[in-house]
Amino acid sequence: PGIYVCAKCGHELFSSRAKYEHSSPWPAFTETIHQDSVAKREERPGALKVSCGKCGNGLGHEFLNDGPKRGQSRF
């Protein structure tokens, strides 16, 4: 339980309350902790490249409409 932060700068990214089990080997979250926690840019349809909103450290992807509920994203 707690807050997941950027490994490079310590910026708050996700809360454990938004974490859920997914088939991928990586932690999966439904939302960021703050609106400015991450920066996003489209990489391909349905997937956004995600980086730390403060320092730009690469964090992975946001997969649109792939969350645990209809219409939710998966980080």
Side-chain angles (χ1 to χ4, degrees), residues 15-48:
S15 167
S16 60
R17 285 178 268 181
K19 188 176 179 185
Y20 70 98
E21 291 297 321
H22 187 267
S23 61
S24 89
W26 305 105
F29 302 90
T30 55
E31 62 188 5
T32 59
I33 194 165
H34 303 292
Q35 193 163 354
D36 68 348
S37 290
V38 301
K40 307 173 193 181
R41 66 175 172 77
E42 187 171 13
E43 185 172 72
R44 62 181 188 271
L48 306 175

